[in-house]
Amino acid sequence: MRNDALPEAWSILRDWLPEDLNERARSDGFFQRSRGLSDAELWLRLILMHVAGGLSLKQTVVRARELGLAQVSSVALFKRLRRSQKWLQGLTQHLLAVQQKKLGRFDWPYRYRLRIIDASNIQEPGSTGTDWRLHYSIRLPELTCDHYELTDDQGGEKPGRYSFSPDELVLVDRGYSHRAGVARVLNAGAQVLVRWNPGLFPLEARHGQALVQLPRLRALGEGQAAECPVQFVWNQKTYPLRLGALRKSQLAAKRALRRAQRKAQKNGTHAQAEALELTGYVLVLTSDTTLP
């Protein structure tokens, strides 16, 4: 089992949170009875192990016992999780307020309603593959789900499942990095921020010129970033975007390269040298030219 309890990082995370965790938990209805585990900090760690750490409810409580954190049942954790929305929302607002105070107020993202779209694979007990796929949309910073859809394992990740409005900034990962989906978001008047997958999303330099990127990227030092204007064409319409690139650390680049090589080997394909080199960078596309 993976170490998803964040034992070393928890002290850092705790410093970001308000001192009155227990008081907030009580006032927000997370604690409704005096009996049982009433340590808000421990409950938050369990919730993060489950939600952010990728552990099931049963795995979370087993891991908690192994680490000596708490003796609770998966049913108890599930019930607490159902009562946690208001409390977690308040903690998120606290974190945003602290960061705003440190960094100062800026135009973005207050001009938009932020929305994250993703999908999660679901396996039934005893299954060896994906049985179901849950597609969902979450609003930030409220962390509220405004859309969900359950499909079988053939249900692809695509923005076509959702409706968009002009006041939205849509954040999506590489699974949604294709021209048809991004065009749908932009045609609705919304903005998009997406991890670029070069193999699935062909780009051009502005005015239709060939995009030559590697020489410029190679000049970046570790942690350095660069950007350039690009465009793509879909259904005979041209869409302007901005491509941002950040050079990964050597360790992160090696890990990304190994993942790409393993994926190609598993799929029985041969990864192109350029595609493998691009795994050493974080590549992001956005339609909003004002984003920092």
Side-chain angles (χ1 to χ4, degrees):
M1 185 180 294
R2 300 189 332 232
N3 188 350
D4 289 286
L6 307 174
E8 297 178 356
W10 177 252
S11 60
I12 299 174
L13 295 175
R14 184 61 183 90
D15 287 341
W16 296 347
L17 299 171
E19 293 293 333
D20 58 343
L21 271 181
N22 281 343
E23 290 75 8
R24 287 172 178 259
R26 292 190 184 90
S27 63
D28 290 337
F30 182 75
F31 290 144
Q32 294 182 334
R33 301 176 182 176
S34 57
R35 62 185 179 85
L37 180 63
S38 58
D39 188 325
E41 182 173 325
L42 283 178
W43 278 117
L44 183 58
R45 291 190 67 171
L46 297 182
I47 290 173
L48 290 176
M49 289 167 63
H50 170 55
V51 176
L55 300 179
S56 69
L57 291 170
K58 290 184 178 180
Q59 289 173 326
T60 299
V61 299
V62 170
R63 187 65 177 146
R65 287 196 295 269
E66 291 176 346
L67 293 172
L69 293 177
Q71 296 279 345
V72 297
S73 68
S74 58
V75 174
L77 177 56
F78 175 69
K79 290 180 178 179
R80 293 286 186 177
L81 192 60
R82 294 187 63 181
R83 294 200 298 267
S84 66
Q85 178 177 342
K86 186 177 179 182
W87 180 48
L88 295 179
Q89 186 176 30
L91 295 181
T92 302
Q93 291 170 343
H94 169 85
L95 291 173
L96 290 173
V98 170
Q99 293 304 312
Q100 179 180 318
K101 186 176 180 180
K102 290 181 179 179
L103 302 175
R105 190 179 182 91
F106 46 93
D107 289 339
W108 180 85
Y110 299 98
R111 291 184 293 112
Y112 299 111
R113 299 175 65 208
L114 298 187
R115 190 177 183 189
I116 294 180
I117 291 175
D118 204 355
S120 294
N121 295 333
I122 300 173
Q123 290 180 274
E124 295 184 0
S127 174
T128 59
T130 299
D131 297 298
W132 307 95
R133 185 166 288 124
L134 178 64
H135 309 265
Y136 54 90
S137 169
I138 294 178
R139 295 283 180 186
L140 291 180
E142 300 90 343
L143 291 179
T144 56
C145 178
D146 61 10
H147 177 94
Y148 68 90
E149 180 181 350
L150 187 65
T151 68
D152 60 20
D153 63 329
Q154 300 302 310
E157 299 178 51
K158 54 185 180 181
R161 302 182 183 279
Y162 307 87
S163 298
F164 305 99
S165 60
D167 63 341
E168 292 179 330
L169 172 60
V170 182
L171 283 69
V172 287
D173 64 14
R174 284 167 54 93
Y176 298 85
S177 182
H178 45 79
R179 291 175 295 173
V182 171
R184 175 180 173 83
V185 176
L186 299 180
N187 287 338
Q191 304 292 340
V192 68
L193 184 64
V194 55
R195 286 285 297 272
W196 181 41
N197 186 339
L200 298 178
F201 199 136
L203 293 175
E204 302 173 346
R206 292 290 170 87
H207 311 300
Q209 299 173 342
L211 181 63
V212 181
Q213 57 203 353
L214 279 177
R216 187 178 182 186
L217 294 180
R218 288 168 182 155
L220 295 176
E222 184 175 310
Q224 289 185 325
E227 63 177 72
C228 67
V230 294
Q231 65 184 37
F232 74 95
V233 178
W234 182 252
N235 285 342
Q236 300 182 330
K237 182 177 178 181
T238 300
Y239 299 84
L241 295 173
R242 187 157 57 100
L243 172 63
L246 174 74
R247 192 181 191 108
K248 297 178 182 178
S249 67
Q250 290 186 9
L251 179 59
K254 288 180 180 179
R255 289 175 175 172
L257 178 60
R258 287 197 296 267
R259 285 196 298 269
Q261 291 171 330
R262 285 197 299 267
K263 182 176 180 180
Q265 184 178 18
K266 180 180 179 180
N267 295 335
T269 59
H270 179 71
Q272 299 295 319
E274 180 176 336
L276 292 176
E277 186 172 350
L278 286 175
T279 62
Y281 304 86
V282 177
L283 302 168
V284 179
L285 289 171
T286 179
S287 57
D288 190 329
T289 59
T290 66
L291 292 179

